[in-house]
Amino acid sequence: MTTQGSGTTNAYGDGGEPRVYRSAEWFARSGKYGFVPRSWMKSQGFSQELLDGRPVIGICNTWSELTNCNRHMRELAEHVKRGVLMAGGFPLEFPVTSLGEPLMRPTTMMFRNLVSMDVEETIRGNPIDGVVLLAGCDKTTPAVLMGAASCAVPTILVSGGPMLNGRFRGRSLGSGTDMFKLDEEYRTGRISRSELDAAEAAMSRSAGSCMTMGTASTMASLGEAMGIGLPMNGSIPAVDSRRAVLAEASGKRAVELVRQNITISSILTRAAFENAVRVNGAIGGSTNAVVHLLALAGRLGVDFTLEDWDRLGRDVPTLVDLKPSGRFLMEEFFDAGGLPVVMKRIENLLNLDAPAVEGGTIGERIVEARCWNDEVIRTLSNPLTAQGGIMVLKGSLAPDGAIIKPSAASQHLMQHRGPAMVFENAEDMRARIDDPDLDVDADTILVLKNAGPRGYPGMPEVGTMSLPRKLLQQGITDLIRISDARMSGTAFGTVILHVSPEAAIGGPLALVRTGDMIIVDAAGRRLDLDVSAAEIERRRSAFVPPPPRYHRGYGRLFIDHVQQADKGVDFDFLVGGSGTPPSKVSF
């Protein structure tokens, strides 16, 4: 019998016993059930040698010209393939739906679960022994991880990386974050339309995801922190040649994961999720990570809840001085040493014995981490924000929870009582926000309804409501904003999100009226509507839910089966994976 490295039929596990992989159900069978799969593969120019029983590694590619973040993924896939071949595996690339945040409507979040189903069923229905996940834009990372988690196969994540820094007239521009600021400057007449157009062309100047600590960089970093991506996965720029080297190394490692039978659930343990929460606080990560990790944990059967986000992240300082919370961008973060430095600095808060996909532990991964710029990655004695973790608020306005990102908020608004200005939906908000007669002042709390999972549907990133022009002109730069929506990871402000239950299903948010007093007590983790119980019941009895936006297709499926934000916005029928049980043959 020949050796494992030659890619022969019988590879060996650590115990020396011969192993037959899942793909043998297709390629090693005699008669017509083996003839047809082998013949069809040979039609593509694959030789018999590649069908000799070596590990088949699926390369899950979210490439699309509709998704700039991912438009370089086809080239990246070639580097993964080279790594797979070097390790004696057989790489097979397959496409899945790509989710591009800037273009896709009504929101990519509505289609995260669809992509996860695409990934899950492609893996389960094909001769795939392990998978390399190529992801970039916001929802692609959780989507592909959720799909792979449902199949329980050996898995490694390769992120596309952030784009180059935006540069405009001596000013660094960060994706999204500076767009919000430029929009305010334009709306108040401080810059002209031609200046806005020039900035628009200068902000996004290469392939890759947002170079701020938005959702894409957050999820890539958390994939690294959880051990499912290799070191530096979260920060190497998209166009940097070292991103290609990481892809090659990931392809090689995917083959070994299959040979060693190290599945995704072996890496994404409860300890990994705890590490992710704490790292998210330290990097000033996106609030979107909350729903994504809750959904991922649900697929894996890991006991992980919304309350864990507050409990585990409560005392974590934000060390990374990156937009939207700070000053710098992802290129500087990478040059400063990236995530290993952050994890080294908060190692006393981490589960250092959590497994890493390359073998060994998270603790072993970061032992030699060294910082090259203490301004970008601050020390514990000089944090950007002393309390950087996600806060979970509960109370009469959010019985099942709401969240706020302290590192992006204004401290003077974290304890506040003010009157509500209510918008019934996003269209109402857009139509009235700049009305000079809008009755708002610095104490007003903006409230947006019907932007949750079912109400919009899809829970879009409209929680960062634009500030009224009349207040911007007065120099007011922040107000408390409350909604059942999400916030872009590139956004900032005192924004309370993910209010659950949402308005569309009759949550207390649906009952708020303009002029009602709302109490925000971040320190006490409270969010309350200061209205009598009798009045609330009177309003509840008169509540009529809005009609559903979809009556057919995937939209209707989404509305009928999506869970609330505190459960991760996954479908109720997808919670808990089912692995890859043998399927019936197709002929």
Side-chain angles (χ1 to χ4, degrees):
M1 186 176 293
T2 52
T3 63
Q4 189 183 79
S6 66
T8 55
T9 300
N10 291 315
Y12 286 78
D14 292 339
E17 295 297 320
R19 292 195 54 223
V20 177
Y21 304 121
R22 180 174 176 268
S23 56
E25 277 291 311
W26 283 261
F27 299 141
R29 298 183 70 167
S30 59
K32 65 180 182 179
Y33 296 116
F35 180 102
V36 171
R38 291 191 298 269
S39 178
W40 256 245
M41 296 307 292
K42 291 176 181 179
S43 75
Q44 299 183 64
F46 296 126
S47 68
Q48 177 62 39
E49 185 177 356
L50 288 171
L51 303 172
D52 63 3
R54 68 186 65 200
V56 176
I57 306 299
I59 302 174
C60 174
N61 200 338
T62 55
W63 171 87
S64 173
E65 289 184 334
L66 294 170
T67 311
N68 175 69
C69 308
N70 300 18
R71 66 179 168 89
H72 59 307
M73 292 293 192
R74 285 199 294 192
E75 179 182 348
L76 205 60
E78 294 303 316
H79 296 285
V80 176
K81 289 179 185 178
R82 185 168 65 224
V84 172
L85 290 168
M86 289 168 67
F90 178 18
L92 290 172
E93 183 181 353
F94 64 91
V96 294
T97 305
S98 190
L99 302 177
E101 200 69 39
L103 300 184
M104 203 165 193
R105 297 179 178 180
T107 168
T108 54
M109 185 62 181
M110 182 172 163
F111 302 100
R112 182 200 65 180
N113 299 346
L114 178 65
V115 175
S116 77
M117 295 166 72
D118 192 352
V119 174
E120 175 180 350
E121 300 305 336
T122 299
I123 293 172
R124 184 176 293 118
N126 287 282
I128 293 173
D129 300 310
V131 65
V132 179
L133 304 173
L134 298 184
C137 198
D138 295 12
K139 308 308 174 292
T140 55
T141 299
V144 296
L145 284 171
M146 289 160 64
S150 295
C151 292
V153 294
T155 300
I156 191 167
L157 172 69
V158 177
S159 299
M163 67 175 72
L164 297 175
N165 289 3
R167 302 194 187 281
F168 177 63
R169 300 178 182 177
R171 172 181 176 182
S172 287
L173 295 182
S175 306
T177 299
D178 284 297
M179 179 273 293
F180 292 113
K181 294 176 180 177
L182 288 163
D183 179 63
E184 289 182 356
E185 290 176 19
Y186 175 66
R187 288 168 58 220
T188 54
R190 284 176 284 168
I191 61 172
S192 67
R193 178 56 187 267
S194 62
E195 289 175 309
L196 185 66
D197 290 345
E200 176 183 300
M203 180 177 287
S204 306
R205 62 191 187 96
S206 76
S209 55
C210 294
M211 81 298 275
T212 49
M213 189 55 75
T215 304
S217 291
T218 296
M219 294 309 298
S221 295
L222 295 189
E224 179 182 340
M226 298 177 82
I228 200 66
L230 292 178
M232 305 305 287
N233 176 75
S235 60
I236 302 174
V239 296
D240 192 307
S241 60
R242 287 166 286 188
R243 175 66 59 181
V245 174
L246 181 141
E248 179 187 286
S250 298
K252 291 171 64 177
R253 183 56 186 158
V255 177
E256 294 305 316
L257 290 172
V258 173
R259 287 178 174 150
Q260 297 168 17
N261 195 29
I262 299 174
T263 64
I264 187 171
S265 59
S266 302
I267 306 295
L268 298 182
T269 62
R270 165 76 188 190
F273 281 89
E274 291 180 352
N275 284 346
V277 171
R278 287 170 169 146
V279 167
N280 193 71
I283 64 176
S286 169
T287 53
N288 285 312
V290 176
V291 290
H292 297 326
L293 292 193
L294 289 172
L296 180 59
R299 298 290 183 98
L300 292 160
V302 173
D303 181 15
F304 179 70
T305 67
L306 180 62
E307 287 70 23
D308 287 323
W309 276 96
D310 192 287
R311 182 178 61 81
L312 296 168
R314 181 168 291 206
D315 297 319
V316 179
T318 298
L319 301 182
V320 180
D321 194 345
L322 223 72
K323 295 181 179 182
S325 298
R327 298 173 291 166
F328 299 103
L329 295 169
M330 290 298 291
E331 279 188 68
E332 288 84 10
F333 181 50
F334 171 62
D335 291 340
L339 196 69
V341 173
V342 179
M343 297 182 72
K344 179 69 174 175
R345 289 187 167 171
I346 63 165
E347 63 181 338
N348 64 310
L349 299 176
L350 301 178
N351 299 306
L352 297 178
D353 58 351
V357 74
E358 71 271 19
T361 66
I362 291 295
E364 293 167 341
R365 174 187 283 189
I366 65 174
V367 69
E368 296 183 359
R370 183 176 176 185
C371 186
W372 303 104
N373 190 329
D374 286 337
E375 279 195 78
V376 178
I377 305 175
R378 298 193 180 198
T379 61
L380 287 171
S381 61
N382 182 37
L384 181 68
T385 304
Q387 294 287 324
I390 299 294
M391 287 183 176
V392 177
L393 312 180
K394 289 192 173 183
S396 61
L397 190 51
D400 294 333
I403 64 170
I404 188 170
K405 180 179 177 180
S407 64
S410 300
Q411 290 306 304
H412 72 279
L413 292 174
M414 297 289 273
Q415 189 86 28
H416 186 74
R417 182 177 185 273
M421 171 53 66
V422 174
F423 302 102
E424 290 299 322
N425 50 50
E427 293 78 14
D428 180 32
M429 182 269 293
R430 295 182 185 115
R432 294 196 292 128
I433 195 67
D434 284 337
D435 185 341
D437 295 325
L438 194 69
D439 186 15
V440 291
D441 59 26
D443 290 328
T444 299
I445 296 177
L446 304 182
V447 175
L448 174 62
K449 303 179 183 180
N450 296 308
R454 294 189 189 180
Y456 198 77
M459 202 182 179
E461 294 181 339
V462 296
T464 319
M465 292 168 263
S466 298
L467 296 184
R469 181 184 292 146
K470 63 186 291 183
L471 297 186
L472 290 171
Q473 291 171 337
Q474 296 171 24
I476 295 170
T477 58
D478 197 10
L479 295 177
I480 293 177
R481 286 155 276 182
I482 299 174
S483 73
D484 45 14
R486 295 179 300 112
M487 175 172 79
S488 169
T490 64
F492 52 91
T494 312
V495 185
I496 298 173
L497 305 152
H498 306 190
V499 172
S500 184
E502 66 175 299
I505 63 171
L509 187 68
L511 310 178
V512 182
R513 295 182 179 178
T514 293
D516 288 349
M517 299 304 292
I518 294 174
I519 301 171
V520 176
D521 176 11
R525 302 303 198 265
R526 297 289 303 179
L527 179 61
D528 290 299
L529 179 62
D530 192 7
V531 174
S532 71
E535 174 61 16
I536 289 294
E537 284 307 309
R538 189 184 69 80
R539 295 180 190 180
R540 191 183 306 280
S541 65
F543 170 73
V544 177
R549 297 288 185 100
Y550 290 86
H551 298 280
R552 61 175 300 279
Y554 177 74
R556 182 57 187 263
L557 177 72
F558 187 95
I559 292 169
D560 287 349
H561 290 282
V562 71
Q563 296 179 304
Q564 290 294 288
D566 62 306
K567 302 295 184 185
V569 199
D570 201 2
F571 288 155
D572 51 16
F573 58 82
L574 291 178
V575 176
S578 56
T580 52
S583 300
K584 295 182 178 180
V585 295
S586 58
F587 55 91

Short mmCIF file of all heavy atoms in Angstrom, two decimals, residues 369-394:
data_model
loop_
_atom_site.label_atom_id
_atom_site.label_comp_id
_atom_site.label_asym_id
_atom_site.label_seq_id
_atom_site.Cartn_x
_atom_site.Cartn_y
_atom_site.Cartn_z
N ALA A 369 3.15 36.91 19.24
CA ALA A 369 2.60 38.12 18.62
C ALA A 369 3.31 39.37 19.15
O ALA A 369 3.57 39.49 20.35
CB ALA A 369 1.10 38.21 18.90
N ARG A 370 3.59 40.29 18.24
CA ARG A 370 4.31 41.52 18.61
C ARG A 370 3.67 42.71 17.91
O ARG A 370 3.34 42.63 16.72
CB ARG A 370 5.78 41.40 18.20
CG ARG A 370 6.63 42.60 18.60
CD ARG A 370 8.08 42.36 18.27
NE ARG A 370 8.90 43.54 18.56
CZ ARG A 370 10.19 43.64 18.27
NH1 ARG A 370 10.81 42.61 17.70
NH2 ARG A 370 10.86 44.75 18.56
N CYS A 371 3.49 43.79 18.63
CA CYS A 371 2.85 44.98 18.08
C CYS A 371 3.90 45.92 17.49
O CYS A 371 4.95 46.16 18.09
CB CYS A 371 2.06 45.72 19.15
SG CYS A 371 1.11 47.11 18.51
N TRP A 372 3.55 46.48 16.33
CA TRP A 372 4.46 47.41 15.66
C TRP A 372 3.93 48.84 15.67
O TRP A 372 4.58 49.74 15.13
CB TRP A 372 4.71 46.95 14.22
CG TRP A 372 5.25 45.56 14.17
CD1 TRP A 372 4.58 44.42 13.83
CD2 TRP A 372 6.59 45.15 14.51
NE1 TRP A 372 5.40 43.31 13.93
CE2 TRP A 372 6.64 43.74 14.35
CE3 TRP A 372 7.73 45.83 14.94
CZ2 TRP A 372 7.79 43.00 14.59
CZ3 TRP A 372 8.88 45.09 15.18
CH2 TRP A 372 8.91 43.69 15.01
N ASN A 373 2.77 49.06 16.25
CA ASN A 373 2.23 50.41 16.33
C ASN A 373 1.20 50.48 17.45
O ASN A 373 0.05 50.05 17.27
CB ASN A 373 1.60 50.83 15.00
CG ASN A 373 1.26 52.31 14.94
OD1 ASN A 373 0.94 52.92 15.96
ND2 ASN A 373 1.29 52.88 13.76
N ASP A 374 1.61 51.03 18.58
CA ASP A 374 0.73 51.09 19.75
C ASP A 374 -0.36 52.16 19.63
O ASP A 374 -1.23 52.24 20.50
CB ASP A 374 1.54 51.35 21.02
CG ASP A 374 2.32 50.13 21.48
OD1 ASP A 374 1.91 49.01 21.11
OD2 ASP A 374 3.33 50.28 22.18
N GLU A 375 -0.30 52.97 18.59
CA GLU A 375 -1.41 53.89 18.36
C GLU A 375 -2.58 53.16 17.71
O GLU A 375 -3.74 53.43 18.03
CB GLU A 375 -0.96 55.03 17.44
CG GLU A 375 -0.22 56.15 18.13
CD GLU A 375 -0.14 57.38 17.25
OE1 GLU A 375 -1.15 58.12 17.16
OE2 GLU A 375 0.92 57.60 16.64
N VAL A 376 -2.28 52.25 16.80
CA VAL A 376 -3.33 51.52 16.10
C VAL A 376 -3.91 50.44 17.00
O VAL A 376 -5.13 50.29 17.11
CB VAL A 376 -2.79 50.90 14.79
CG1 VAL A 376 -3.87 50.10 14.08
CG2 VAL A 376 -2.27 52.00 13.86
N ILE A 377 -3.05 49.66 17.62
CA ILE A 377 -3.49 48.62 18.58
C ILE A 377 -3.00 49.07 19.94
O ILE A 377 -1.84 48.92 20.29
CB ILE A 377 -2.95 47.23 18.22
CG1 ILE A 377 -3.31 46.85 16.79
CG2 ILE A 377 -3.51 46.20 19.21
CD1 ILE A 377 -2.71 45.54 16.33
N ARG A 378 -3.88 49.66 20.69
CA ARG A 378 -3.50 50.28 21.95
C ARG A 378 -3.22 49.25 23.04
O ARG A 378 -3.64 48.10 22.96
CB ARG A 378 -4.59 51.24 22.40
CG ARG A 378 -4.84 52.38 21.43
CD ARG A 378 -5.69 53.43 22.08
NE ARG A 378 -5.98 54.56 21.20
CZ ARG A 378 -6.40 55.73 21.64
NH1 ARG A 378 -6.60 55.93 22.94
NH2 ARG A 378 -6.65 56.71 20.79
N THR A 379 -2.54 49.72 24.07
CA THR A 379 -2.25 48.87 25.22
C THR A 379 -3.44 48.88 26.18
O THR A 379 -4.31 49.75 26.11
CB THR A 379 -1.00 49.37 25.95
OG1 THR A 379 -1.25 50.71 26.41
CG2 THR A 379 0.21 49.37 25.01
N LEU A 380 -3.43 47.95 27.10
CA LEU A 380 -4.50 47.89 28.09
C LEU A 380 -4.53 49.12 28.97
O LEU A 380 -5.59 49.51 29.49
CB LEU A 380 -4.33 46.64 28.96
CG LEU A 380 -4.67 45.30 28.29
CD1 LEU A 380 -4.24 44.14 29.17
CD2 LEU A 380 -6.16 45.21 27.98
N SER A 381 -3.39 49.76 29.14
CA SER A 381 -3.33 50.97 29.97
C SER A 381 -3.80 52.22 29.23
O SER A 381 -3.99 53.26 29.85
CB SER A 381 -1.90 51.18 30.48
OG SER A 381 -1.01 51.37 29.38
N ASN A 382 -4.00 52.10 27.92
CA ASN A 382 -4.42 53.25 27.12
C ASN A 382 -5.47 52.83 26.09
O ASN A 382 -5.28 52.98 24.89
CB ASN A 382 -3.21 53.87 26.42
CG ASN A 382 -3.57 55.10 25.61
OD1 ASN A 382 -4.44 55.90 26.01
ND2 ASN A 382 -2.94 55.27 24.45
N PRO A 383 -6.61 52.29 26.54
CA PRO A 383 -7.62 51.79 25.59
C PRO A 383 -8.33 52.93 24.87
O PRO A 383 -8.36 54.07 25.36
CB PRO A 383 -8.59 51.01 26.47
CG PRO A 383 -8.52 51.72 27.79
CD PRO A 383 -7.08 52.14 27.94
N LEU A 384 -8.90 52.61 23.74
CA LEU A 384 -9.74 53.58 23.04
C LEU A 384 -11.01 53.82 23.84
O LEU A 384 -11.47 54.95 23.99
CB LEU A 384 -10.09 53.05 21.64
CG LEU A 384 -10.96 53.95 20.76
CD1 LEU A 384 -10.21 55.21 20.37
CD2 LEU A 384 -11.42 53.19 19.52
N THR A 385 -11.60 52.73 24.35
CA THR A 385 -12.80 52.77 25.18
C THR A 385 -12.65 51.74 26.29
O THR A 385 -12.32 50.59 26.00
CB THR A 385 -14.06 52.44 24.35
OG1 THR A 385 -14.15 53.34 23.25
CG2 THR A 385 -15.32 52.57 25.19
N ALA A 386 -12.88 52.13 27.50
CA ALA A 386 -12.68 51.21 28.63
C ALA A 386 -13.69 50.06 28.59
O ALA A 386 -13.37 48.93 28.93
CB ALA A 386 -12.79 51.96 29.95
N GLN A 387 -14.92 50.35 28.18
CA GLN A 387 -15.97 49.33 28.09
C GLN A 387 -16.37 49.20 26.62
O GLN A 387 -17.14 49.97 26.10
CB GLN A 387 -17.17 49.73 28.93
CG GLN A 387 -16.90 49.78 30.42
CD GLN A 387 -16.77 48.39 31.04
OE1 GLN A 387 -17.45 47.46 30.65
NE2 GLN A 387 -15.89 48.25 32.01
N GLY A 388 -15.80 48.22 25.94
CA GLY A 388 -16.01 48.11 24.50
C GLY A 388 -16.97 47.04 24.05
O GLY A 388 -17.35 47.01 22.88
N GLY A 389 -17.37 46.14 24.94
CA GLY A 389 -18.23 45.05 24.51
C GLY A 389 -19.63 45.51 24.16
O GLY A 389 -20.05 46.62 24.48
N ILE A 390 -20.35 44.66 23.46
CA ILE A 390 -21.75 44.93 23.13
C ILE A 390 -22.58 44.91 24.42
O ILE A 390 -22.47 43.99 25.23
CB ILE A 390 -22.30 43.88 22.15
CG1 ILE A 390 -21.51 43.90 20.84
CG2 ILE A 390 -23.79 44.09 21.90
CD1 ILE A 390 -21.65 45.16 20.03
N MET A 391 -23.41 45.94 24.62
CA MET A 391 -24.32 45.97 25.75
C MET A 391 -25.70 45.44 25.33
O MET A 391 -26.18 45.79 24.25
CB MET A 391 -24.49 47.40 26.28
CG MET A 391 -23.31 47.94 27.03
SD MET A 391 -23.68 49.61 27.69
CE MET A 391 -22.18 49.93 28.61
N VAL A 392 -26.29 44.64 26.16
CA VAL A 392 -27.64 44.13 25.94
C VAL A 392 -28.57 44.85 26.92
O VAL A 392 -28.39 44.79 28.13
CB VAL A 392 -27.71 42.61 26.15
CG1 VAL A 392 -29.15 42.12 25.98
CG2 VAL A 392 -26.79 41.89 25.17
N LEU A 393 -29.55 45.56 26.36
CA LEU A 393 -30.53 46.29 27.16
C LEU A 393 -31.85 45.54 27.17
O LEU A 393 -32.27 44.99 26.14
CB LEU A 393 -30.75 47.69 26.59
CG LEU A 393 -29.50 48.52 26.26
CD1 LEU A 393 -29.92 49.88 25.70
CD2 LEU A 393 -28.60 48.68 27.47
N LYS A 394 -32.51 45.52 28.30
CA LYS A 394 -33.84 44.92 28.40
C LYS A 394 -34.74 45.85 29.20
O LYS A 394 -34.27 46.71 29.95
CB LYS A 394 -33.79 43.54 29.03
CG LYS A 394 -33.16 42.47 28.15
CD LYS A 394 -33.39 41.07 28.70
CE LYS A 394 -32.90 40.02 27.73
NZ LYS A 394 -33.18 38.63 28.21
#
